[in-house]
Amino acid sequence: MDSRRTTLAPAFHSLPEYLRHWAQATPDRRAFTFVEHPAPDSRGVHRTLTWRRLDLRVRAVAARLAEECEPGARVALLCPQGTEYVTAFLAALAAGLVAVPLYPPGLPGHGDRLSAVLADAAPSAVVTTGHVLDDVREFCTDRSLPVIAADQVSDAHAHAWRPGAPDDSAVAYLQYTSGSTRVPAGVEITHANVVANARQALTAYGADAHPVSCVGWLPLYHDMGLVLSVAAPVVRGLLSVLMDPVAFLHEPVRWLRLLAAHPRAVSAAPNFAYDYCASTVTDAQKADLRLDGVTALINGSEPVRPGTADRFHAAFAAQGLAPETHCPSYGLAEATVFVSAARPGEPLRRFALDRDALATGKALSARADDPTAVLLAGCGTPAGQRVRIADPVSRAALDEGEVGEIWVRGPNVGRGYRNQDGQSRRVFGAAFADDPPAGPGGGWLRTGDLGTVLDGQLIVTGRLKDLIVVDGRNHYPQDVEATAQDAHPAVRRDRLAAFATAGAFGERVIVVAEHARNTALDDIDVPALMREVCAAVSTRHGLRLADVVLVPPGTVPRTSSGKVSRALTRERYLAGAYATPGAAE
């Protein structure tokens, strides 16, 4: 499965080189805008850097970092969302250092992960901003690290800065995986990797041929946020408009207003964000929205469900939003981020698959109106790379319509995991059974994701490690979760986890679900909810749930990218962390 060849000719080897180019070619054009919402009813305060100003700030911070760090050292970015984050990231790269995109201490539920990542990365310095400087210094007290506030570095530092010769094979940054199925690991992304993936994304979403505006609220420490909101705009010289994820969660219409305000907007969000907008944006808020200028809305969830796209576009059709803007996509940190994407302007590709056949590893068509069918969206074709489906055990290449592990090969695939040579060889150096063995950089990337190819479209069906196997049959947890959340209105959408645990008589299947925020636990008939969820899962999947646990909102753990962490939910369940109001068995 190969992609169309990219139309962008290579020009520079690193993001700092592109930055210097745009600073010279278009110095007064807007580069990055951060829209701050200081009050609940705020329409947004815009703070903008031109390409000239961004270049100056990057050179100043790079010079300051070079005073503290030797070339090749790692620098942790503990900045809040904003233009200072962009500056710090590019400055680390310009100084020949390895950036480690993270977040300030205090992010709910992520303190332990931040400590673990810092211990693994072993940075020589930390960059933050004056706004959270005291918190960061306190968090780093035991680490004896210099802490630099990017916004407090004087412009004068830039005058003596002389950039070194770029090495595109050198590591540019460590992208720590979100930890949805294992302990977080730092993927080594080279300068060549990030430039290649930015160009691949630009081509996939039509931004190589026509200027677009990148609008995003995804956190910049996340792979998709970093590439779409920083790397791609720097490579193409595009305006990038940023907002804080918390501002979106508090008032999702803010994201839509930014999409409406910027021509040919391209943006990305996980599946829940589209459902969230459809259910919470009011008619009054829609009144002044015009979304007919939006170019592409990327949905990078696993898997992408057609129903979500339908609900979102039905909610905003009157605002001029074209259904062809929805672009299901697939990617992962090990491939920098983007792997495969549906192209804007093309209808959503829908696939109704036979559930029983899918459980045996075959993607067979079913009637679209069959209530037991699995409905999935196609994630288009690869962006400047190769994708094949492999049997995860035998490593045999599989034919179209057979479900197996998704393998990827391309210039965007990272170098490996930091300090994990064995795991790097296993994941980044895969070879098909008939091919000679290969090491990292010379083989295929094993993604750990399951999928198939139908009609030339990549379809993602789930995570290999999350697969629930009962009596020899495969069940996809996200499929069980979708059934459970549709069974009762008090189950909060996309905030539940299905997983298996070992029991005395085989695998026990558990569902831990948050209840809806607008419903108090005392108002819920929990035994009735459990019966309805169990009945729905039994009817649709032929699967008996051993336990259904209803927990308060915010209780089910999530990864840094906002996805539910089934592995951590399972771990907490087994540790007795959830109060169980009842059991299904």
Side-chain angles (χ1 to χ4, degrees):
M1 187 180 186
D2 296 339
S3 70
R4 299 175 299 181
R5 180 174 297 175
T6 178
T7 59
L8 288 177
F12 300 110
H13 300 288
S14 68
L15 296 183
E17 289 178 288
Y18 278 102
L19 169 60
R20 288 193 292 274
H21 167 76
W22 297 117
Q24 294 169 2
T26 58
D28 298 319
R29 201 168 68 195
R30 290 182 298 163
F32 288 86
T33 294
F34 179 63
V35 183
E36 190 175 5
H37 297 85
D41 58 348
S42 171
R43 300 281 290 196
V45 177
H46 291 59
R47 307 184 189 282
T48 297
L49 290 178
T50 63
W51 288 105
R52 188 205 317 263
R53 180 65 182 163
L54 176 62
D55 179 59
L56 177 69
R57 293 303 303 153
V58 165
R59 287 188 284 114
V61 176
R64 179 69 184 88
L65 287 173
E67 295 174 358
E68 298 286 352
C69 306
E70 295 294 327
R74 290 163 299 284
V75 176
L77 310 182
L78 273 60
C79 303
Q81 190 96 334
T83 55
E84 291 87 359
Y85 203 119
V86 178
T87 299
F89 174 73
L90 294 173
L93 271 57
L97 305 172
V98 178
V100 186
L102 293 167
Y103 40 84
L107 185 67
H110 293 285
D112 291 343
R113 179 180 184 274
L114 181 59
S115 295
V117 169
L118 287 177
D120 183 79
S124 297
V126 171
V127 184
T128 187
T129 67
H131 180 64
V132 294
L133 181 58
D134 291 342
D135 293 338
V136 172
R137 279 179 172 160
E138 182 179 355
F139 188 81
C140 296
T141 298
D142 297 335
R143 304 179 188 277
S144 300
L145 292 173
V147 179
I148 300 166
D151 52 341
Q152 295 178 3
V153 175
S154 168
D155 288 352
H157 278 78
H159 302 322
W161 173 246
R162 295 293 181 269
D167 176 4
D168 63 356
S169 66
V171 177
Y173 62 98
L174 295 178
Q175 182 65 66
Y176 274 83
T177 61
S178 58
S180 59
T181 58
R182 63 176 185 272
V183 176
V187 182
E188 295 182 325
I189 303 296
T190 68
H191 291 277
N193 292 154
V194 66
V195 169
N197 204 225
R199 293 163 64 84
Q200 290 164 344
L202 290 166
T203 300
Y205 301 116
D208 58 333
H210 305 283
V212 301
S213 302
C214 297
V215 177
W217 56 266
L218 292 176
L220 298 182
Y221 58 79
H222 181 241
D223 48 12
M224 185 178 290
L226 189 63
V227 171
L228 190 66
S229 290
V230 180
V234 168
V235 167
R236 186 70 168 85
L238 304 171
L239 170 64
S240 180
V241 182
L242 305 168
M243 63 179 288
D244 195 287
V246 175
F248 164 75
L249 293 173
H250 284 173
E251 198 67 83
V253 72
R254 291 167 171 166
W255 175 43
L256 304 181
R257 286 174 181 154
L258 291 182
L259 292 174
H262 294 87
R264 295 187 57 82
V266 173
S267 192
N271 201 75
F272 88 86
Y274 296 102
D275 271 325
Y276 187 42
C277 287
S279 61
T280 59
V281 175
T282 66
D283 289 339
Q285 291 172 330
K286 294 177 185 179
D288 60 349
L289 279 179
R290 290 303 308 168
L291 299 173
D292 51 334
V294 175
T295 291
L297 292 174
I298 302 162
N299 187 334
S301 295
E302 302 164 4
V304 179
R305 298 194 178 277
T308 296
D310 292 342
R311 284 188 292 273
F312 182 77
H313 287 282
F316 300 102
Q319 283 64 52
L321 185 66
E324 293 79 16
T325 60
H326 208 85
C327 298
S329 303
Y330 167 71
L332 68 164
E334 286 82 352
T336 305
V337 63
F338 290 101
V339 171
S340 177
R343 278 31 175 188
E346 298 179 359
L348 187 74
R349 296 294 303 275
R350 304 163 185 273
F351 295 87
L353 303 179
D354 182 273
R355 189 181 306 277
D356 291 336
L358 200 60
T360 64
K362 301 290 184 181
L364 301 180
S365 296
R367 297 195 324 272
D369 59 352
D370 184 343
T372 67
V374 178
L375 303 178
L376 298 174
C379 289
T381 55
Q385 52 205 291
R386 298 185 67 198
V387 170
R388 296 186 73 181
I389 307 299
D391 183 300
V393 178
S394 69
R395 296 183 291 113
L398 299 180
D399 295 329
E400 181 165 312
E402 293 184 292
V403 177
E405 186 179 14
I406 301 171
W407 287 18
V408 177
R409 197 175 202 174
N412 54 300
V413 173
R415 204 166 71 172
Y417 298 115
R418 166 177 157 77
N419 288 342
Q420 296 189 32
D421 292 343
Q423 181 76 345
S424 295
R425 284 192 295 271
R426 191 190 73 80
V427 174
F428 291 83
F432 286 95
D434 296 335
D435 295 337
W444 290 81
L445 167 66
R446 297 190 63 164
T447 68
D449 291 313
L450 292 168
T452 188
V453 175
L454 284 177
D455 297 336
Q457 293 275 311
L458 176 65
I459 302 171
V460 183
T461 59
R463 289 286 299 172
L464 181 60
K465 291 185 178 180
D466 285 343
L467 200 63
I468 298 170
V469 183
V470 178
D471 296 331
R473 290 175 55 83
N474 296 334
H475 300 272
Y476 294 95
Q478 69 275 4
D479 204 12
V480 175
E481 291 157 7
T483 298
Q485 70 186 15
D486 289 341
H488 197 284
V491 177
R492 190 181 180 196
R493 301 193 70 84
D494 297 319
R495 291 295 185 273
L496 67 166
F499 52 89
T501 65
F505 303 101
E507 292 290 278
R508 302 170 70 249
V509 182
I510 315 296
V511 169
V512 176
E514 296 181 7
H515 65 75
R517 285 191 177 276
N518 60 358
T519 306
L521 184 59
D522 291 342
D523 296 333
I524 301 172
D525 184 341
V526 175
L529 179 149
M530 295 170 63
R531 287 194 298 271
E532 291 184 32
V533 169
C534 289
V537 171
S538 177
T539 300
R540 179 163 288 188
H541 305 277
L543 193 62
R544 181 172 180 265
L545 296 181
D547 200 359
V548 177
V549 183
L550 196 65
V551 296
T555 305
V556 173
R558 288 182 287 163
T559 69
S560 62
S561 60
K563 300 174 184 176
V564 166
S565 175
R566 299 184 185 99
L568 187 53
T569 306
R570 180 181 182 276
E571 180 182 317
R572 291 183 180 179
Y573 174 85
L574 293 174
Y578 301 118
T580 309
E585 59 182 12

